[in-house]
Amino acid sequence: MATQIDRRLRELEDQVRAQIGRFTRRASLEQDEKERIIKFLETFLAADSGSVRDQAIRQYVLYRLGFTYSYQ
């Protein structure tokens, strides 16, 4: 189970990295944190229509991920 979550997290991180550029994790994550971040990343990737609502969602997700990730 843990490796499946880790694999899913890496896949989503790669997809988001392709859209926004480089970022790195600031620290290691607990299992529940990984699951929460997966939900945020899935939300980010789903909000891609370009509407004002989706832009706001993407900005909020990036803000929340800023506590866990360092953008470069």
Side-chain angles (χ1 to χ4, degrees):
M1 173 106 171
T3 58
Q4 183 180 12
I5 291 173
D6 291 334
R7 187 177 318 117
R8 180 69 179 147
L9 181 60
R10 281 192 303 273
E11 290 171 1
L12 290 170
E13 286 174 340
D14 289 342
Q15 290 176 21
V16 172
R17 193 173 285 117
Q19 291 186 19
I20 67 167
R22 294 184 53 180
F23 61 89
T24 56
R25 277 189 219 146
R26 294 181 186 207
S28 62
L29 302 172
E30 298 293 326
Q31 201 65 21
D32 61 332
E33 292 174 308
K34 290 177 184 177
E35 293 170 359
R36 180 179 52 84
I37 289 172
I38 285 172
K39 290 178 186 174
F40 274 120
L41 294 174
E42 288 172 340
T43 300
F44 179 88
L45 292 169
D48 65 351
S49 73
S51 70
V52 174
R53 178 182 178 274
D54 281 355
Q55 289 174 8
I57 289 170
R58 290 171 75 101
Q59 287 178 332
Y60 176 73
V61 169
L62 291 177
Y63 163 75
R64 288 295 305 262
L65 293 176
F67 298 110
T68 308
Y69 292 91
S70 174
Y71 302 106
Q72 298 162 339

